Amino acid sequence: MGFPGDVPLLLTLCSCFCQAAAQTPLVLNTWAFADAAERAWLTLNSGGSVLDAVEQGCRQCEVQQCDGTVGYGGSPDECGETTLDAMIMNGNTIEVGAVGGLRRIKSAISVARAVMEHSDHTLLVGESASIFAQNMGFLSEDLTTNRSLSLYLEWLRKNCQPNSWRNVSPNPETNCGPYKPIKEHGSKYKTKPRPQVNLHSHDTIGMIAIDKLGSIAVGTSTNGKIHKISGRVGDSPIVGAGAYADSTTGAAAATGDGDVMMRFLPSYQAVEYMRMGIDPTTACQKAIKRIQKYHPRVFGAMICVNKTGSYGAACSKSPGMDQFHFLAFNPAKQSEQIVDCI
C-alpha cells in the first residue's frame, strides 16, 4: 500500500504510556482499518477539509463493512434488521450532526453530515431519520445481506443467545421472547455480566482529522451491538460519548461497550482533561479509569489528540481483550499502533 511520500505502513508496539510527538496534518482512527485511514489521509492531502476527510474515511469503512461492525449487512438486531448510528462534529464551530437507528440508508456518516449542514438539529433517529435522508437524496435500499441473515437465523437456533434482556419472563438466558417484566413484590433486579469481547466484536470506527491550520473534526460510524433490542442506540452518535472535538483544545473518540461508556461521556471528559494541560495519553487513561471505577471488567478504548497533533490512546483490560489497535497517519509515518490495556 502506497501513501504520499512513500512512507510505508508500519506496525508500532507501544506500552500503555505510548505518547506520540506533535505533528500535523494528522488522521487518527480506532482499530486497524487501514483503507479508511488512507482514504481520509488522501482526502486531507488533496485539499479536502477535515470534515471531508472524516466523512470519506468513515464512509470507506461503511462501504467495506469493516469487520462486519460498520455499515450494512452486519450486527442484525433481534428482529434481524441492520440499523446504523453515526456522528460528525466540527471542532471549529462545535456543530454536530448525528443519526441513530438509521434504516435502509447505507451511508450513515454522510446522512449525519447532512443533519449538521441542512437542519437546525443535532440528532435524528429511526424511521424519521431515514425519511430525512431520502429527502436529502440518499438512496433507500435493504441493508440485509446473506451474512446478516445467516447470523440472525443462527441466533434464533440458539434460543436467542446472547441477548440484552434481564428481569423478564420467560427466562431470557434460555428462551426467546416476547418477554414480560417480572414484577414480584420486593424482588431484587438482577444484573447480568457484560459479554466477553474479542478483536472482532467491537462496533465502531472513530476517526479524528486535524489539518495544518489546526482545524479538527471527528466522526463515528457503526451498526451497533449485534442482536440488540430493536430501537437501541449506542454511544457512537452521542456527542461527548462516541466522540468530541474542540479545535481550541483537541479531540477524542471512543469504542467498546457503548451501553456503559455513554453514561460517562468519556470523549468529552478526555478533551476537558487536555484543556487542563494534561497530555493526550494520560487524558485517555483518566477517562478510561473513571469508567473502570464502576465497571472494572468492561472493555473500552479511546484515541485522543491535542491541538498540536500530539496523540495517545488507552484501553481497559477485560476478558478477551488486553490490547487495542489504532492507526495514525501524519507526515512522519503511517502506522498501526498497539497499546496494552490498563
Side-chain angles (χ1 to χ4, degrees):
M1 182 183 300
F3 302 98
D6 294 321
V7 182
L9 181 66
L10 304 173
L11 177 64
T12 304
L13 297 175
C14 306
S15 74
C16 60
F17 299 104
C18 178
Q19 181 69 40
Q23 196 161 19
T24 59
L26 171 72
V27 170
L28 204 65
N29 66 256
T30 56
W31 307 110
F33 300 143
D35 289 346
E38 180 185 6
R39 174 59 64 88
W41 180 250
L42 292 174
T43 300
L44 198 58
N45 279 275
S46 62
S49 69
V50 287
L51 287 170
D52 295 334
V54 165
E55 179 185 5
Q56 291 303 314
C58 289
R59 189 167 184 169
Q60 182 70 27
C61 244
E62 292 172 343
V63 170
Q64 291 185 325
Q65 304 164 280
C66 287
D67 276 358
T69 60
V70 181
Y72 70 100
S75 302
D77 65 19
E78 65 175 13
C79 294
E81 182 179 13
T82 296
T83 57
L84 309 179
D85 301 339
M87 185 261 281
I88 193 166
M89 183 170 188
N90 184 337
N92 290 342
T93 64
I94 316 300
E95 291 178 300
V96 179
V99 290
L102 183 69
R103 307 176 67 200
R104 304 187 311 279
I105 308 292
K106 284 186 176 180
S107 186
I109 188 69
S110 296
V111 179
R113 186 169 182 180
V115 172
M116 181 177 69
E117 295 182 341
H118 300 292
S119 82
D120 292 331
H121 303 310
T122 294
L123 172 64
L124 298 180
V125 297
E127 183 65 20
S128 295
S130 301
I131 293 171
F132 169 85
Q134 290 175 249
N135 290 339
M136 292 293 101
F138 291 89
L139 178 66
S140 178
E141 51 191 323
D142 191 358
L143 302 186
T144 300
T145 62
N146 289 337
R147 178 181 179 275
S148 65
L149 181 59
S150 176
L151 288 170
Y152 175 61
L153 294 176
E154 180 64 21
W155 179 73
L156 290 177
R157 283 193 289 269
K158 293 181 177 179
N159 294 324
C160 304
Q161 302 302 311
N163 61 63
S164 297
W165 292 90
R166 59 176 174 166
N167 303 311
V168 293
S169 178
N171 185 352
E173 295 181 8
T174 55
N175 297 277
C176 294
Y179 304 103
K180 294 183 179 180
I182 296 174
K183 295 183 178 180
E184 295 180 9
H185 180 69
S187 64
K188 185 176 181 180
Y189 288 126
K190 298 179 181 179
T191 58
K192 290 172 59 176
R194 308 303 296 184
Q196 182 169 317
V197 297
N198 59 59
L199 188 60
H200 298 290
S201 67
H202 53 78
D203 61 1
T204 304
I205 179 171
M207 179 172 282
I208 303 169
I210 178 170
D211 66 18
K212 292 179 180 179
L213 299 178
S215 295
I216 305 177
V218 294
T220 65
S221 186
T222 180
N223 52 36
K225 183 178 182 180
I226 192 167
H227 310 312
K228 57 184 175 282
I229 297 172
S230 298
R232 181 263 191 188
V233 174
D235 64 324
S236 298
I238 306 302
V239 185
Y244 194 80
D246 183 339
S247 296
T248 68
T249 304
T255 184
D257 190 332
D259 289 298
V260 168
M261 296 183 73
M262 67 192 301
R263 305 168 194 171
F264 297 86
L265 298 179
S267 295
Y268 174 80
Q269 189 69 49
V271 171
E272 291 307 301
Y273 284 139
M274 289 187 286
R275 195 186 306 277
M276 296 164 57
I278 295 173
D279 68 84
T281 295
T282 304
C284 280
Q285 291 174 344
K286 286 174 70 67
I288 288 292
K289 287 178 179 179
R290 186 165 168 261
I291 299 171
Q292 287 179 314
K293 179 181 178 181
Y294 297 91
H295 298 277
R297 294 173 63 83
V298 164
F299 177 76
M302 297 187 67
I303 52 174
C304 299
V305 59
N306 66 21
K307 63 182 180 180
T308 69
S310 178
Y311 64 86
C315 57
S316 56
K317 187 178 294 185
S318 69
M321 292 291 285
D322 56 11
Q323 289 184 325
F324 169 55
H325 297 237
F326 68 100
L327 280 167
F329 282 34
N330 65 25
K333 61 182 178 180
Q334 288 87 41
S335 62
E336 178 183 344
Q337 301 188 27
I338 303 173
V339 292
D340 294 322
C341 295
I342 56 178

